[in-house]
Amino acid sequence: PGAAPSAARPLLRRDQGGGCGSRRRLRRAADGGERGGRGGERGLAAPAAPSPSEGGSLNPIRLEQVLPSQLSWISFSLGACVDIKRRLPQHSAFLVAYVGSAADAWAVARTAHRSKLDGIDLNADPAVVSAELAEWLHARGMRLAVWVWKAPAENDVQEVWEHMDRCGVDYFTSNLPLGLRRWDTERGSLGP
């Protein structure tokens, strides 16, 4: 607790079908880059060669060039999520929250549902993420994502991955994408 969520967003994602038996695949957002930064209706920025840290520039990408399946908006701000969903309804919007109890997780889920968002993104804590919560969200056409603390993260371990998998979590943010991929591949559930 108290540590900031990871900036890297490799995601373990269930295929569009949803349910607990779905095959999964590892997906990286923006070539494994950060999800933060600026964006808007006019355009996004993607690194060009050389990178900005090497004295290069940013190469603008028009939002019209980004498929809805390639971009999900996430925010700790309910107002920002509602606004982005209103402006860009074809893209997913997830309300991000740190919750300390299962009751808090349910409150976030109900708020996101009332606000017509696509899902929630909670801290990966087995004490707050349950199969019942995932089932409730899925029954309403919503998705459940979880995130871990900044590396090295106590909640970025196989036991937590297994719990989230059993619960039916759709997306998992990890600081250990190779370890997570290896674990999922050994289980035979990772898609192409």
Side-chain angles (χ1 to χ4, degrees):
S6 169
R9 291 295 289 187
L11 300 174
L12 187 61
R13 184 186 108 154
R14 290 191 185 281
D15 288 344
Q16 298 294 5
C20 292
S22 298
R23 291 184 50 178
R24 289 166 230 215
R25 62 188 167 98
L26 195 64
R27 185 179 97 174
R28 294 180 195 262
D31 298 319
E34 292 186 18
R35 279 215 159 187
R38 290 194 209 156
E41 293 186 36
R42 297 192 181 201
L44 304 171
S51 72
S53 63
E54 297 167 331
S57 63
L58 292 179
N59 186 22
I61 296 176
R62 304 242 354 127
L63 190 55
E64 297 81 31
Q65 296 172 304
V66 179
L67 297 175
S69 63
Q70 294 175 315
L71 177 65
S72 293
W73 298 92
I74 63 171
S75 178
F76 282 92
S77 166
L78 177 61
C81 286
V82 169
D83 190 48
I84 200 71
K85 195 65 187 168
R86 182 182 55 78
R87 292 175 187 233
L88 300 167
Q90 70 276 23
H91 292 276
S92 297
F94 287 76
L95 180 59
V96 183
Y98 166 80
V99 294
S101 70
D104 291 343
W106 280 97
V108 171
R110 286 189 295 274
T111 297
H113 181 256
R114 277 193 310 273
S115 302
K116 300 185 179 0
L117 300 180
D118 299 288
I120 60 174
D121 194 354
L122 304 176
N123 47 301
D125 182 346
V128 301
V129 176
S130 67
E132 294 78 17
L133 178 65
E135 289 167 8
W136 187 89
L137 289 162
H138 294 155
R140 286 153 182 78
M142 299 172 71
R143 289 167 284 167
L144 175 58
V146 296
W147 48 267
V148 299
W149 309 116
K150 183 177 178 183
E154 295 174 4
N155 60 345
D156 201 3
V157 295
Q158 184 172 337
E159 295 79 25
V160 175
W161 303 339
E162 289 172 351
H163 175 83
M164 299 303 156
D165 179 55
R166 284 190 306 271
C167 287
V169 165
D170 300 292
Y171 301 91
F172 190 95
T173 302
S174 177
N175 297 313
L176 306 169
L178 295 178
L180 183 60
R181 184 173 183 82
R182 185 173 30 258
W183 167 76
D184 209 37
T185 300
E186 288 171 358
R187 295 172 46 248
S189 63
L190 195 63

